[in-house]
Amino acid sequence: MSDFPEAAQVVIIGGGIVGCSIAYHLTLRGVSDVVLLERKQLTSGTTWHAAGLVGQLRATHNLTRLAQYTANLYATLEQESGQATGFRQMGSLALASNAERFEELRRGASMARCFGLEVNVLTPREACELWPLMNGDDLVGAVHLPKDGRTNPVDTAQALARAARKRGARIIENAKVTDILVEDGTAKGVRTARGDVRAEFVVNAAGMWAHGLAASVGAAVPLHAAEHFYIVTEPIPGLPPHLPVLRDADACTYITEDAGKLLVGWFEPIAKPWGMDGIPESFAFDQLPEDLEHIEPLLDAAIRRIPALSDAGIQLFFNGPESFTPDDRYLLGETPEVRNLFVAAGFNSIGIQSAGGAGKVLADWIVDGHPPMDLWDVDIRRVMPFQRNRRYLMDRTVEALGLLYAMHWPFRQPETARGVRRSALHDRLKQRGACFGETAGWERPNWYAPKGVAPEYRYSYGRQNWFDYSAEEHRAVREAVGLFDQSSFGKFIVEGRDAETVLNRISANHVSIPSGRIVYTQWLNNEGGIEADVTITREAENRFLIVTSAASQTIDLAWLRRHTPEGARAVTFDATSAYAVLGVMGPNSRKLLSRLTEADLSNEAFPFATSQVIDLGYARVRASRITYVGELGFELYMPTEFAQSVFDLIVEEGGPEGLRLCGYHAMNSLRMEKGYRHWGHDISPQDTPLEAGLGFAVGWKKPGGFIGRDALLRQKEKGVKRRLVHFALKDERKLLYHNEPIWRDGVLVGRITSGMFGHTLGKPLGMGYVENAEALADQSFIESGRYEIEVAGENISAEASLPPFYDPLNLRVKETEKARPILVAAS
């Protein structure tokens, strides 16, 4: 008992490969006072039964960078640790048995080139040459990644643990953590049966147990275990060694050679959640009961692909639990609920290939106090509080496992655990043909089906079934008036004597404005990167309304609260559910609303970027003249209970002005034409306002400065080497989504961050950063190049522009003949 530690700088809960990686990378950063506590033995939860696949191509640039780091780490880990890992790079081969899958794979291959990965697009014959035992009669094509690999999960985890011990970390088995110690909202250590361990930082890397541990201190770590099946055959005569890992996603199957045998695993469309009643206390290196009936159809498909399987005996039928999250992305970072409590969990069957990179960036995050790159895709602050609900997690997990190998369609919507958050207008919108999508649990109308048309998606990589209907909504906003339900906005109230001071320090723009004015601003980190993109309305001298996107509600609220100085006379509360929001947008919006209110809505009485409380129908609403679509328009904020009566009145009176209900797909195409940025796609913590073309929203000379000001001033003096540019394809048949490579004069200079078809312009549009590796990315450099965008392996000519293609002078938005920025920063 005496050798059990009483304190450490960092205590890690969980001895799987991720926990061991975090310990190792902390020691690399010079933090040797690390204690890792494992409830049973290292790797005994999920790591020990993983297939050990190490793929490198992920959905985004930074996640791919982390996967590449993992592969490079595993290649050298044996040399450092002295522990064999079994890592080898035999490559991977992804198959397409239909044209849609082949387009997905070719788009992925294009994306891989952005990330510097070696990738080959193959014919069916070439694929069969790489995998001679395969039946390729039905194949359309394949994609080969030569540097993908495989490792032994247990040996690799042990190698990380050994390397961490060499550098000073203490790793203790049979030390179950029963509680996380929290004082004044900050993690202070853990409690075990062998005593408390006080710590400056606590890392919850407890795998399947991470949800319960977090919930005990009020933190949301939404994950749920599901059964995962694979078989290992008897030895197969003549099986070539070192075959690439085979991924046949249309058959939900992966296959890898294993010492003369084949390991065959599946990600079935309808999964089996596990552990709903808790995980047995004794669980360690355990298997779950066999269920041949469940995977028999998938086994039949695998035999059709690899006929040799029909004659091979099954040496092992394995079923073990793995954790899945609601969006199939893992959970990383400091929890918004508890300071200094970090999470690394929910790895969705890619824990082995993610462990190296995840361990590195989490260690950097702990040591430096901020993430080393944009990790929004996996940042735990994307999580909504309701997502810790076990029933929700169980229902979503049925779908989540299979989505790993399902078609990754553009605009694909989840089908399970729906209807969580609905606006007060949901039923009215449904009656009028709304086809709902889901964001942060909100049911939001993405498009409206006309009478006689089912409001449901038919997915493709081309123009989907809603394309023409959304185009009509788009044109209504440009030519008449559209009505949007924007109630899902995140809304915060900051109130108190110091509210202005607090927000001026956090915001890049100047918020010392008169009551009734609106400021568009970013919140920056110390390096000048964009952490949030919001509007701030001064409602009164000591009261401000902050509005952000639905997906950013948790992360922006956490940023606001954690950057409010202790002792400041300002309070913040989340008012998201208190207010409904209707967006009335288009050149006829003023005419329509003027019939419903006595307020003067003229440009002189109600100029752009102002807000007033007005009577509208029987309600008192806050009308804000602001837009995300690039037209004259008003956002109407009202207590939720007034939403239905206001909606009914607007719809009743809107006919003469050409009113049309509009969805979020139309909003997206409208904002793309106008060049409005979307946080999480076009702007992120890695992008500065200068690079993003948002320098107009910076109050450079405001008293007291702001977070990130010094970094921005240095960049302003030096100039930027990358700029966000607008693109329009010259071939209207191709569509842009994200991560398509940007070529300038035959040189790869960037990638598309977001894309949509612009119906007013009649062209596919995209935004993306263009980098000048040799000098500055100035106007001359941007405009002098010849551009092509690579779409599924084909280079398409494109027009490039720094200003937006639609209304670059903001004449329609501001109703002025003079060119001015959308919002002018006070100086």
Side-chain angles (χ1 to χ4, degrees), residues 292-473:
L292 182 60
E293 182 179 356
H294 182 69
I295 58 95
E296 191 170 14
L298 302 177
L299 179 57
D300 291 341
I303 292 172
R304 288 193 294 273
R305 179 64 66 205
I306 311 294
L309 287 172
S310 62
D311 299 322
I314 296 178
Q315 185 181 82
L316 171 67
F317 185 112
F318 186 84
N319 180 14
E322 297 190 4
S323 295
F324 292 84
T325 63
D327 59 6
D328 273 339
R329 292 177 282 157
Y330 54 88
L331 304 167
L332 204 66
E334 186 182 19
T335 67
E337 300 92 350
V338 180
R339 296 296 301 262
N340 292 356
L341 173 60
F342 286 77
V343 172
F347 279 86
N348 304 284
S349 281
I350 59 166
I352 306 304
Q353 72 182 50
S354 303
K360 179 185 186 305
V361 295
L362 195 72
D364 291 341
W365 198 333
I366 291 170
V367 173
D368 298 330
H370 57 82
M373 61 176 70
D374 174 22
L375 295 170
W376 170 241
D377 285 303
V378 294
D379 194 319
I380 193 166
R381 293 173 295 176
R382 76 185 186 276
V383 167
M384 297 295 143
F386 80 87
Q387 290 183 302
R388 61 183 278 185
N389 180 287
R390 287 189 178 274
R391 180 176 177 181
Y392 165 85
L393 290 170
M394 181 184 71
D395 291 347
R396 176 58 62 85
T397 300
V398 171
E399 177 184 19
L401 180 145
L403 291 181
L404 294 177
Y405 275 17
M407 284 290 296
H408 298 92
W409 296 116
F411 311 107
R412 190 195 185 282
Q413 303 298 323
E415 298 174 4
T416 55
R418 292 290 297 269
V420 179
R421 305 171 81 184
R422 297 176 178 176
S423 85
L425 303 172
H426 180 87
D427 291 346
R428 281 166 165 76
L429 304 182
K430 183 177 181 181
Q431 290 171 2
R432 289 165 171 82
C435 183
F436 293 96
E438 187 252 15
T439 297
W442 282 100
E443 295 292 320
R444 309 196 307 178
N446 279 346
W447 57 280
Y448 288 86
K451 289 183 179 180
V453 175
E456 56 191 31
Y457 281 92
R458 293 199 300 272
Y459 298 114
S460 77
Y461 274 96
R463 297 184 177 188
Q464 297 184 8
N465 62 312
W466 49 265
F467 184 90
D468 291 336
Y469 309 132
S470 185
E472 293 174 8
E473 298 167 21

Side-chain angles (χ1 to χ4, degrees), residues 254-272:
Y254 63 88
I255 303 173
T256 182
E257 182 268 336
D258 185 11
K261 312 164 192 174
L262 286 178
L263 184 154
V264 185
W266 298 277
F267 292 104
E268 65 273 23
I270 301 177
K272 295 180 65 179

Side-chain angles (χ1 to χ4, degrees), residues 574-615:
D574 187 345
T576 300
S577 298
Y579 295 102
V581 183
L582 290 173
V584 184
M585 299 288 159
N588 294 349
S589 57
R590 178 184 289 123
K591 294 180 184 178
L592 171 56
L593 293 180
S594 291
R595 292 207 303 271
L596 310 179
T597 180
E598 296 178 354
D600 185 352
L601 304 183
S602 67
N603 196 49
E604 294 73 25
F606 207 140
F608 182 72
T610 63
S611 180
Q612 301 178 28
V613 176
I614 66 174
D615 290 316

